[in-house]
Amino acid sequence: MPSSNITDIPPASSELAPFAVSLGDPAGIGPEIVAKSWVMREARGLLPFFAVGDAASLRAVWLGPIATISAPEEAAAIFDSALPCLQVAEAGDIVPGSPSIDGARTAFQALEVAVGLARSGSAAGIVTAPVGKEQLYGVGFTHPGQTEFVAERCGVAPHNAVMMLAGPSLKVVPITIHIPLGDVASTLTIDLIRARALTTVKGLQRNFGIGRPRLAVAGLNPHAGENGALGREEIDVIRPAIESLRQEGIDIVGPLAADGMFHTRARETYDAALCMYHDQALIPIKTLNFDEGVNITLGLPIVRTSPDHGTAFGIAGTDSANPGAMIAALRMAAEAARARIAHG
């Protein structure tokens, strides 16, 4: 399986501030999976965290203990007995499953506050619950997603902030993300592939403790283009990027036929797979690790993770949301923060 020294990093909870968890859209499953994660805190070995958002969204779906805090440093002392919540603007009447403009405004503010706390060092990192982009766009949110927003607030150029989807058995990075499939070929460039790959290498070292990361790169076309018979992107763009990276000492192979990259034996040969477009990366990770998949942003000065799923408005308020991905995101945030301390 992908190699990592993360389990060799000694516990460092005393060195870490609590983690800030933005609750996402208050009408989605974010509040429920955050609350369920707190319930399972001891069983899953979670370090202290606090919710950022409207406490009413937690109370709408959960009867457990909630303690409103005014500063992050209060969270650790309260964490054993209640879920700490840093209150931001109220979301109005919260109806699980029914998103609203007021709710989107609260989600936006919670994200802004959480990022600020991580940047100041008051939080060891942020974990972002899912948001509804359609509603966010109605309150002035102009970014394709939370990843791009966090990168901007951290002063990181978009091409240097890399979205990695990570699970127990696979880590993938999409080179292009939220663009139409018809635009992928024209968007791919040697420089873009190089930038994503270099950030991935540094991110694997810094966040996962992998000393010499191994990368595998997917081709764009069926059978990786079959030497130009099925497309020239592998010849003109992907292969030159790989060769230039290899000359710099990066352990990288490809372009490989994507349909053969994700079986068990293949995954044992690399630490992360670089894929050319969104679904090429997300289909295998969600197939293999749907309830444990984590979105971790590489290339940031702060730790940021998120469950690899959406708001699930259709099941919000039914007490049926699985907190597995949120728990995994919390655990990965802690592992990344510890790895950064060890990495220096």
Side-chain angles (χ1 to χ4, degrees):
M1 304 309 293
S3 63
S4 172
N5 297 325
I6 200 73
T7 55
D8 298 328
I9 297 171
S13 58
S14 61
E15 301 178 56
L16 298 178
F19 290 86
V21 184
S22 59
L23 288 173
D25 195 300
I29 62 170
E32 180 182 331
I33 59 176
V34 172
K36 287 180 175 178
S37 297
W38 180 84
V39 171
M40 301 178 69
R41 64 198 181 282
E42 293 184 3
R44 300 305 299 271
L46 301 181
L47 297 184
F49 62 85
F50 59 95
V52 182
D54 187 353
S57 66
L58 293 164
R59 297 190 180 97
V61 295
W62 188 54
L63 298 177
I66 301 167
T68 301
I69 60 174
S70 57
E73 53 267 25
E74 300 171 19
I78 296 171
F79 189 70
D80 286 344
S81 57
L83 171 57
C85 181
L86 187 66
Q87 179 74 32
V88 300
E90 295 182 359
D93 293 332
I94 298 169
V95 180
S98 298
S100 66
I101 290 297
D102 285 342
R105 189 174 291 109
T106 299
F108 194 173
Q109 184 170 343
L111 178 61
E112 184 86 78
V113 169
V115 173
L117 292 173
R119 290 187 63 200
S120 71
S122 298
I126 62 170
V127 180
T128 57
V131 295
K133 295 188 183 72
E134 180 180 350
Q135 290 73 35
L136 276 179
Y137 294 150
V139 296
F141 190 85
T142 59
H143 299 77
Q146 294 189 94
T147 297
E148 294 83 358
F149 174 85
V150 175
E152 180 188 278
R153 288 298 189 267
C154 290
V156 174
H159 62 274
N160 288 328
V162 168
M163 182 176 79
M164 171 179 280
L165 295 310
S169 60
L170 179 65
K171 296 180 180 69
V172 294
V173 169
I175 301 296
T176 64
I177 308 176
H178 298 119
I179 63 173
L181 187 58
D183 294 343
V184 170
S186 61
T187 302
L188 288 172
T189 65
I190 293 172
D191 287 343
L192 178 62
I193 294 171
R194 281 181 47 81
R196 294 276 196 258
L198 290 170
T199 300
T200 299
V201 168
K202 292 177 183 177
L204 288 169
Q205 293 169 335
R206 190 179 187 193
N207 295 289
F208 294 92
I210 301 174
R212 181 169 167 75
R214 302 165 300 163
L215 303 183
V217 182
L220 173 65
N221 297 296
H223 305 170
E226 287 197 355
N227 292 320
L230 298 177
R232 291 196 55 86
E233 287 81 7
E234 286 78 10
I235 295 172
D236 296 337
V237 179
I238 303 173
R239 190 171 296 153
I242 292 171
E243 290 174 354
S244 71
L245 290 161
R246 192 178 292 126
Q247 290 174 4
E248 295 178 25
I250 304 299
D251 189 344
I252 186 169
V253 297
L256 306 175
D259 61 0
M261 285 182 59
F262 300 108
H263 61 80
T264 301
R265 293 191 307 278
R267 297 197 309 273
E268 292 174 349
T269 66
Y270 58 81
D271 298 301
L274 272 58
C275 301
M276 294 301 111
Y277 56 93
H278 182 278
D279 285 11
Q280 192 182 60
L282 272 71
I283 287 173
I285 188 70
K286 289 190 174 183
T287 299
L288 292 167
N289 303 134
F290 187 82
D291 289 326
E292 298 174 285
V294 176
N295 178 345
I296 178 169
T297 307
L298 309 180
L300 299 178
I302 65 172
V303 171
R304 182 263 173 157
T305 66
S306 179
D308 184 25
H309 60 65
T311 53
F313 289 125
I315 64 169
T318 65
D319 195 31
S320 59
N322 187 330
M326 174 56 76
I327 290 171
L330 286 160
R331 289 176 60 88
M332 188 171 291
E335 291 172 348
R338 289 170 169 170
R340 287 183 176 216
I341 292 173
H343 187 265

